[in-house]
Amino acid sequence: MVNTQTLPTACKRAAAAVLSAVMLTVSLPTIPADAASKGFYVSGTDIKDANGNSFVMRGVNIAHAWYSSYTETSIKGAAANGANTVRVVVADGKQWSKTSKSDIEKIVSDCKKNDLVCILEVHDATGRDSTSDLNAAVDYWIENKGVLQGNEKYVILNIANEWYGSWDGYAWAEGNKTAVKNIRNAGIDNMIMVDCAGWGQYPDSIKDYGKSVYNADPQKNTVFSIHMYEYAGGDSYTVKKNIDNALGTGVPVVIGEFGGQHTNGDVDEATIMSYCTQKNVGYLGWSWKGNGSGLGYLDIANDWAGTSLTSWGNTLINGSNGIKKTAKKCSVYTGGSSSSSSSSGSSSSNNSSSSSSSSSSSSSSSSSSSSSSDPYVSLFWGESTAGPWEQATSTMTTKNGGSFDASNIKKNGYFYVEYSNNNQKQIELILQSWSGGASWAKVSAYEYGSANGHHYAKFSYNDCVSAFGTSNFSSCLDQVHASCKNNTTTVYSVCYCNASTGGSSSSSSSSGSSSSNNSSSSSSSSSSSSSSSSSSSSSSDPYVSLFWGENTAGPWEQATSTMTTRNGGSFDASNIKKNGYFYVEYSNSNQKQIELILQSWSGGASWAKVSAYEYGSANGHHYAKFSYNDCVSAFGTSNFSSCLDQVHASCKNNTTTVYSVCYCT
């Protein structure tokens, strides 16, 4: 029989000792056609099922490895209480009795009978730092790949529960990169889930290194899991920050475990459930039944069939943001079609809107004040909060396995940070180097303003060179931080704009190249004398980002789809203003094979196709601009805030990869 030490929650006590010692943002995925047709796949920060519909997990953990005789009853009980997913504990034999292939087949079969998505996880590597323990889990999955193959629609592979107990993101990433590659090389195509480091409670491992793990997957079909107990989920601020930072990588995240309390403190389960509902993030409560002595408060059910729930179970199942009120059954069980095939009945009206937008594009282009100040390269987009003298966002460069290619930092460009703080000038950009540049270079802004209801600040190329001590960013820059001097600051976006408008304060003119990079703006601090130049400052920034990353679709499909706030999405359509334009950066063998589609279910055109008025090249890709007037003409109204439900970037012919979509005002 299992004792209290067999359960992961008891083991997590060790994290407390590690925490004190350690506590001193995108390519989005290219969707492999094979994975998209066979099973779950990544689409931005969404998990899509085999029908192309978004799937948000709502479920529980079931401890099969220790209570195998009750697994079938537990699965039925979870389904009866509204769950759409179960995460099932199995063992590879290194610590507990090995779960047989026939047992795995039975687990999967029982899940399918009860219309449940099945996540399988090996528990023997819990809290271990040794790669041999992780490799043993990988070998176990390869040994049992016959069960996984053919069940990609129903089964997600959580490689190893809480592998890597130490709070060390780099080592965690290195081990998981190898594990993911070995699983794929063995011919396993199921979506992969990876728990974060620190017994699942160190989400900064995802924030700082998750992208490198994701990129190691040749199918770009790996998602991340945070286990939210007292360290990762102890209060509202921590919960939201950890979820936002993980989503900031541009990859889906799931709360793979959480409870109402834990060994070393309380857990804010209410915020976990409400914020997951707000952000369309999945969650899975720990655990159905069987927690050992002293940990019984983590049991969800009083009996294996789930006919009686504990206090924690009642919150998880019946709460205002609980499973019964927020779970939707996966469409592979309901026969639902792909969400991209929106409304077949509206095709005729869609065609007419397309022709009208084409005919009007040339005449309306003149009224849109086109600017070449875009494009930009995004380092972070989301919402991340930090206290005084802390970093709200930290983005690793590609030279260290991160997402930001520092070669994008070019003359006349500038960093742009959008944020909130009760003192507008309490924001800093910090450039960090471990080899060749200043170890901790603080850069002050040369321009402040307001956009999207927030503050923004710009940091010039010349000021960055002056503070960093070199312009050789691609070889020397390791990390970029957005930091606050005093007060609490929330950062919403960080990007580098390759524009002719960037400018610098005259205080930065000491670098050898500054004379040729004259600024359009006034000095940020030490210099009040004029340094205005021939570069005319433009207000084409700021912008509102709808998508940034890398998403691919075939002909007549949507590469990106962004829901508006009126439907619980991220884009506030009131930002669509006169003289602005939508900007899409993409690649396609035919530059003009890109469309913007504005969709309405009430009040506007049901499927309005907008043609671009300007094409160009940036960051090695194509870009296209879609004017405000053309959008109004195609959509049939300028009342976007009340009528616009969704915005798509779509390709007419050929395969198209979209890297960014934004609205520039």
Side-chain angles (χ1 to χ4, degrees):
M1 292 296 290
V2 67
N3 60 37
T4 59
Q5 293 304 313
T6 62
L7 294 181
T9 50
C11 296
K12 293 189 187 79
R13 294 189 185 101
V18 181
L19 178 63
S20 60
V22 179
M23 293 197 62
L24 269 163
T25 53
V26 235
S27 279
L28 295 188
T30 300
I31 302 171
D34 187 47
S37 62
K38 289 203 296 186
F40 292 99
Y41 63 92
V42 170
S43 176
T45 56
D46 288 341
I47 292 173
K48 296 291 184 79
D49 65 22
N51 292 328
N53 292 317
S54 293
F55 178 67
V56 181
M57 299 177 196
R58 291 288 184 266
V60 301
N61 286 264
I62 293 176
H64 170 85
W66 311 301
Y67 302 105
S68 58
S69 61
Y70 297 108
T71 300
E72 182 178 1
T73 302
S74 300
I75 288 173
K76 290 179 180 177
N81 279 279
N84 62 22
T85 307
V86 289
R87 180 173 178 261
V88 183
V89 178
V90 300
D92 61 19
K94 286 205 72 173
Q95 188 170 353
W96 294 288
S97 297
K98 187 175 183 178
T99 304
S100 67
K101 181 179 180 181
S102 61
D103 266 9
I104 300 176
E105 290 173 334
K106 180 70 163 57
I107 291 167
V108 173
S109 175
D110 287 342
C111 287
K112 291 163 71 173
K113 288 177 183 177
N114 288 278
D115 294 351
L116 292 170
V117 171
C118 179
I119 301 174
L120 296 171
E121 58 99 342
V122 161
H123 218 79
D124 305 68
T126 300
R128 307 295 181 90
D129 288 356
S130 171
T131 54
S132 65
D133 292 293
L134 180 61
N135 292 338
V138 171
D139 291 342
Y140 176 80
W141 294 124
I142 294 173
E143 177 186 336
N144 290 285
K145 68 179 182 181
V147 183
L148 303 172
Q149 292 170 331
N151 278 310
E152 291 85 357
K153 289 183 180 181
Y154 312 102
V155 177
I156 294 171
L157 182 59
N158 192 176
I159 304 176
N161 180 74
E162 297 175 2
W163 179 76
Y164 218 84
S166 297
W167 293 46
D168 180 351
Y170 177 80
W172 165 85
E174 291 303 298
N176 278 300
K177 285 192 283 188
T178 300
V180 167
K181 291 176 184 176
N182 289 340
I183 287 172
R184 294 302 186 214
N185 289 340
I188 296 173
D189 295 329
N190 302 70
M191 172 175 278
I192 292 173
M193 182 182 290
V194 174
D195 297 346
C196 66
W199 299 77
Q201 289 210 72
Y202 182 49
D204 278 3
S205 56
I206 299 173
K207 176 173 71 75
D208 295 337
Y209 298 98
K211 186 60 184 303
S212 67
V213 176
Y214 170 81
N215 284 333
D217 182 354
Q219 294 190 11
K220 301 295 186 290
N221 201 23
T222 294
V223 302
F224 297 106
S225 171
I226 302 171
H227 293 182
M228 285 194 165
Y229 294 102
E230 65 270 49
Y231 302 117
D235 56 65
S236 177
Y237 167 79
T238 302
V239 169
K240 292 179 179 180
K241 180 178 181 180
N242 286 335
I243 290 175
D244 287 342
N245 284 345
L247 292 175
T249 65
V251 182
V253 65
V254 174
I255 309 307
E257 292 183 18
F258 73 110
Q261 55 181 303
H262 199 247
T263 309
N264 292 312
D266 189 36
V267 182
D268 189 352
E269 71 277 12
T271 297
I272 293 172
M273 291 190 290
S274 64
Y275 205 59
C276 283
T277 300
Q278 179 182 335
K279 294 288 188 176
N280 290 322
V281 168
Y283 66 67
L284 306 164
W286 183 274
S287 69
W288 188 245
K289 184 172 167 55
N291 290 280
S293 176
L295 297 168
Y297 55 79
L298 286 166
D299 281 355
I300 295 165
N302 288 312
D303 64 309
W304 294 104
T307 59
S308 172
L309 301 177
T310 65
S311 174
W312 158 228
N314 188 59
T315 297
L316 177 69
I317 302 295
N318 297 315
S320 58
N321 289 290
I323 288 173
K324 283 188 176 179
K325 292 191 177 180
T326 63
K328 293 183 180 179
K329 191 177 293 187
C330 184
S331 77
V332 297
Y333 293 116
T334 63
S337 60
S338 170
S339 58
S340 64
S341 59
S342 305
S343 53
S344 57
S346 64
S347 60
S348 59
S349 63
N350 297 342
N351 292 337
S352 62
S353 67
S354 172
S355 60
S356 66
S357 73
S358 301
S359 62
S360 66
S361 63
S362 59
S363 62
S364 66
S365 63
S366 61
S367 63
S368 175
S369 57
S370 174
S371 166
S372 61
S373 63
D374 283 291
Y376 61 91
V377 181
S378 179
L379 287 77
F380 171 84
W381 188 80
E383 186 174 326
S384 183
T385 302
W389 309 107
E390 294 179 347
Q391 287 73 61
T393 71
S394 297
T395 305
M396 201 75 73
T397 62
T398 51
K399 76 183 285 278
N400 281 293
S403 59
F404 176 56
D405 185 350
S407 66
N408 285 296
I409 303 175
K410 299 173 184 177
K411 293 179 181 180
N412 294 329
Y414 57 92
F415 282 97
Y416 172 92
V417 180
E418 190 172 309
Y419 61 101
S420 62
N421 186 306
N422 58 13
N423 184 334
Q424 187 178 30
K425 296 189 177 181
Q426 293 298 318
I427 191 76
E428 284 182 317
L429 187 77
I430 296 174
L431 308 178
Q432 186 174 11
S433 175
W434 303 312
S435 56
S439 60
W440 194 258
K442 294 184 179 181
V443 187
S444 295
Y446 74 88
E447 180 183 317
Y448 298 95
S450 297
N452 310 317
H454 308 137
H455 302 314
Y456 73 80
K458 295 181 180 181
F459 304 82
S460 77
Y461 172 88
N462 284 351
D463 285 343
C464 290
V465 171
S466 178
F468 197 57
T470 176
S471 61
N472 192 6
F473 295 103
S474 59
S475 297
C476 301
L477 183 60
D478 292 288
Q479 201 164 16
V480 179
H481 311 269
S483 179
C484 44
K485 298 176 185 177
N486 296 302
N487 312 320
T488 296
T489 297
T490 299
V491 172
Y492 304 97
S493 70
V494 181
C495 70
Y496 191 80
C497 299
N498 284 317
S500 61
T501 61
S504 77
S505 67
S506 61
S507 62
S508 67
S509 61
S510 58
S511 79
S513 62
S514 64
S515 61
S516 62
N517 296 323
N518 290 336
S519 162
S520 63
S521 177
S522 60
S523 168
S524 63
S525 55
S526 62
S527 171
S528 60
S529 60
S530 67
S531 79
S532 61
S533 79
S534 57
S535 175
S536 59
S537 179
S538 166
S539 62
S540 62
D541 278 295
Y543 61 90
V544 181
S545 179
L546 286 77
F547 170 84
W548 186 84
E550 186 175 320
N551 227 6
T552 300
W556 308 107
E557 295 179 347
Q558 288 73 62
T560 70
S561 299
T562 304
M563 200 75 75
T564 62
T565 52
R566 70 185 298 263
N567 280 292
S570 60
F571 177 56
D572 185 349
S574 67
N575 285 296
I576 304 176
K577 299 173 183 176
K578 292 181 179 179
N579 296 327
Y581 57 92
F582 282 98
Y583 171 93
V584 179
E585 190 172 311
Y586 62 100
S587 62
N588 188 305
S589 57
N590 184 331
Q591 186 179 29
K592 296 188 177 182
Q593 293 298 317
I594 191 76
E595 284 183 316
L596 186 78
I597 295 174
L598 306 178
Q599 186 175 12
S600 176
W601 303 312
S602 56
S606 59
W607 194 259
K609 296 182 179 181
V610 187
S611 296
Y613 73 89
E614 180 183 317
Y615 299 95
S617 297
N619 305 318
H621 309 136
H622 302 312
Y623 73 79
K625 295 182 180 181
F626 304 82
S627 76
Y628 172 87
N629 286 355
D630 284 344
C631 290
V632 171
S633 177
F635 197 57
T637 177
S638 61
N639 192 6
F640 296 103
S641 59
S642 297
C643 300
L644 182 60
D645 292 290
Q646 201 164 18
V647 179
H648 311 270
S650 179
C651 44
K652 299 177 185 177
N653 297 301
N654 312 319
T655 296
T656 297
T657 298
V658 172
Y659 303 97
S660 70
V661 181
C662 68
Y663 192 80
C664 302
T665 55

